[in-house]
């Protein structure tokens, strides 16, 4: 038997197309894909660090990776190497780039985010991906986002000498942010699609009240002028004990986020607890934002059949009980809701196209 090298065309047919939902948040990227009948979920801090020198050792993480962009349609990335997510943070806790640093980074770093997420998954020679993504103003930015992502990208994950991966991205749809969460909540029976629904997105950078018409089209949406969860993290970062520990600097909000999410309320391995500060700061932070959000959706309150809070802020300890008093349901996996719904959209569009 003569072994022959498979041609590129053969390869594509043999590599299944996977449906992927991508929620590129200001604070956290969420990617959901179905591969081999298994759902994979990746969540990485939206952080990046370009590497200027070769590394001897490539650490790995569940929350970020290193990619070397060898070749492909993103010409400006060819020959460059980046750390993403947790690895960008640990390499340079103060000097990495955050997606929230500039509004245009949602586009500029979208490809970095997705490649970084794929690098956390078990190795594949070829990824053939059909993406449904979302962005705040999809009418304005859908085209730009598609241009940045679409195409073929040849990278080495976690070391230039590692086997290369070919990543083919096709953007099926760029939905308005929240469209995925709506789909997810409808399937969880948290939203009655025959009536108007009011949803408040408590994200890292933004609070977005949205009114959905029956069926799910967006009737009204407003990005509040106040910041999101990051303002709460910033308040906690002022705690005196943390400032002393940091030698006069404010506490590091990445460590505060982790301490809240793992429910220890501990600041890294310092042994310092910020539980009291959290308990003190949560309600004033929430009250301001919740009442502002309610004001914007007031005209629809008497007409709506469903009231939900999503985004990671819905998962902050204490939030579910507080919003319940006003008839709102906090979505238990609020941080994931959008990406999970976008993945559903991707899956059904892909199946319809077969
Ligand atoms: N499991 C959890 N427990 C507690 N808090 C959480 C949890 N998951 C996320 N959060 C908090 O919710 C916040 C917002 O997360 P989310 O994923 O909604 O942000 P984002 O989508 O990156 O931001 P934006 O929507 O503004 O672009 C984070 O700051 C995080 O600390
Ligand atoms: Mg978000």
């Amino acid at each position: 038997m003569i072994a022959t090298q498979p041609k590129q065309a053969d390869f594509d047919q043999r590599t299944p197309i996977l449906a992927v939902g991508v929620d590129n948040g200001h604070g956290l990227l969420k990617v959901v894909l179905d591969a081999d009948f298994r759902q994979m979920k990746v969540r990485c801090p939206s952080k990046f660090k370009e590497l200027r020198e070769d590394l001897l050792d490539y650490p790995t993480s569940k929350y970020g990776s290193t990619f070397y962009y060898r070749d492909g349609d993103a010409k400006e990335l060819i020959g460059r190497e980046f750390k993403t997510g947790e690895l960008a943070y640990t390499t340079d806790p103060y000097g990495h780039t955050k997606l929230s640093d500039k509004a245009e980074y949602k586009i500029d770093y979208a490809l970095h985010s997705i490649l970084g997420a794929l690098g956390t998954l078990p190795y594949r020679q070829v990824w053939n991906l059909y993406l449904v993504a979302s962005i705040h103003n999809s009418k304005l930015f859908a085209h730009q986002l598609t241009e940045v992502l679409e195409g073929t990208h040849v990278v080495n994950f976690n070391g230039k000498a590692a086997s290369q991966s070919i990543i083919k991205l096709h953007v099926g749809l760029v939905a308005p942010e929240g469209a995925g969460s709506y789909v997810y909540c409808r399937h969880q029976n948290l939203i009655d699609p025959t009536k108007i629904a009011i949803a408040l997105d408590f994200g890292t950078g933004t609070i977005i009240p949205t009114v959905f018409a029956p069926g799910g089209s967006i009737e009204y949406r407003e990005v509040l002028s106040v910041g999101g969860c990051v303002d709460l993290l910033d308040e906690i970062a002022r705690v005196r004990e943390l400032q002393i520990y940091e030698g006069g600097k404010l506490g590091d909000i990445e460590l505060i986020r982790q301490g809240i999410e793992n429910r220890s309320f501990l600041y890294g391995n310092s042994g310092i607890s910020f539980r009291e500060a959290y308990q003190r700061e949560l309600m004033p932070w929430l009250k301001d934002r919740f009442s502002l959000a309610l004001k914007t959706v007031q005209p629809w309150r008497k007409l709506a059949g469903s009231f939900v809070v999503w985004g990671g802020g819905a998962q902050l300890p204490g939030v579910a009980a507080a919003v319940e008093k006003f008839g709102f349901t906090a979505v238990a996996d609020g941080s994931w809701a959008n990406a999970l719904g976008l993945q559903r959209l991707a899956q059904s569009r892909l199946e319809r196209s077969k």
Side-chain angles (χ1 to χ4, degrees):
M1 203 174 92
I2 304 163
T4 54
Q5 199 66 19
K7 292 194 205 78
Q8 190 60 44
D10 296 334
F11 237 138
D12 287 345
Q13 280 156 20
R14 268 186 251 154
T15 311
I17 304 173
L18 308 179
V20 188
V22 180
D23 178 2
N24 195 15
H26 283 111
L28 295 155
L29 163 80
K30 281 80 64 180
V31 174
V32 178
L33 66 151
D34 262 347
D36 308 327
F37 307 104
R38 206 161 62 86
Q39 187 178 66
M40 293 182 177
K41 289 159 81 188
V42 187
R43 199 171 78 128
C44 303
S46 304
K47 297 172 181 290
F48 313 93
K49 179 78 191 173
E50 183 160 9
L51 298 177
R52 308 280 178 188
E53 285 162 33
D54 287 349
L55 300 180
L56 290 175
D57 183 35
Y58 281 84
T60 55
S61 162
K62 261 173 75 183
Y63 309 110
S65 71
T66 308
F67 70 86
Y68 175 69
Y69 196 95
R70 185 165 291 282
D71 200 1
D73 290 318
K75 298 287 177 232
E76 71 291 351
L77 293 186
I78 293 175
R80 294 167 70 187
E81 190 171 33
F82 293 86
K83 284 193 176 189
T84 72
E86 186 184 43
L87 297 184
Y89 168 74
T90 48
T91 298
D92 193 351
Y94 296 132
H96 59 268
T97 301
K98 299 189 203 68
L99 196 80
S100 54
D101 287 343
K102 284 189 189 165
E104 55 268 35
Y105 283 179
K106 273 229 170 185
I107 306 276
D108 296 350
Y109 282 94
L111 181 60
H112 302 58
S113 294
I114 293 171
L115 294 178
L118 293 175
T120 68
L121 297 173
Y123 173 78
R124 285 190 184 217
Q125 193 173 14
V126 181
W127 288 99
N128 230 342
L129 304 179
Y130 178 85
L131 307 182
V132 171
S134 68
I135 198 152
H136 285 147
N137 192 336
S138 61
K139 279 204 186 104
L140 210 58
F141 297 116
H143 178 69
Q144 268 175 287
L145 187 63
T146 305
E147 292 247 297
V148 164
L149 299 177
E150 184 107 2
T152 300
H153 311 286
V154 182
V155 304
N156 301 92
F157 288 123
N158 306 316
K160 284 178 194 169
S163 304
Q164 71 180 28
S165 291
I166 300 168
I167 294 140
K168 289 166 181 280
L169 299 182
H170 176 65
V171 181
L173 176 73
V174 179
E177 210 152 295
S181 305
Y182 184 93
V183 168
Y184 176 75
C185 286
R186 213 180 57 208
H187 280 92
Q188 297 289 313
N189 293 323
L190 294 171
I191 280 182
D192 173 355
T194 66
K195 300 206 171 81
I196 284 175
I198 293 178
L200 314 178
D201 180 355
F202 276 64
T204 302
T206 50
I207 307 281
I208 312 177
T210 305
V211 178
F212 293 91
S217 62
I218 292 175
E219 187 85 59
Y220 169 85
R221 114 198 316 264
E222 184 175 331
V223 182
L224 296 189
S225 54
V226 290
C229 301
V230 72
D231 288 359
L232 173 64
L233 304 180
D234 282 340
E235 275 312 316
I236 298 170
R238 290 177 201 285
V239 166
R240 226 173 73 88
E241 245 186 310
L242 295 184
Q243 292 202 46
I244 293 169
Y245 180 79
E246 291 291 1
K249 277 199 159 100
L250 296 176
D252 183 335
I253 60 171
E254 178 61 18
L255 295 184
I256 296 169
R257 178 183 72 82
Q258 289 173 13
I260 296 172
E261 290 191 16
N262 66 27
R263 306 296 193 260
S264 71
F265 297 96
L266 291 173
Y267 186 69
N269 61 8
S270 69
I272 300 171
S273 166
F274 55 83
R275 187 186 295 271
E276 240 177 66
Y278 178 84
Q279 284 165 347
R280 188 178 61 239
E281 300 297 343
L282 178 70
M283 283 309 153
W285 171 83
L286 181 62
K287 239 174 103 186
D288 280 359
R289 282 153 188 80
F290 192 65
S291 53
L292 272 175
L294 282 192
K295 245 186 228 160
T296 65
V297 298
Q298 184 61 31
W300 293 276
R301 270 179 89 182
K302 53 196 169 295
L303 306 173
S306 317
F307 302 85
V308 291
V309 179
W310 60 48
Q315 294 180 262
L316 290 168
V319 165
V323 300
E324 202 190 334
K325 294 190 188 119
F326 296 85
F328 278 77
T329 304
V331 178
D333 37 8
S335 176
W336 284 105
N338 196 39
L340 287 165
L342 295 174
Q343 200 279 333
R344 262 182 180 278
L345 283 176
Q347 194 77 51
S348 56
R349 289 173 74 93
L350 192 58
E351 271 155 27
R352 259 186 285 143
S353 72
K354 275 178 191 164

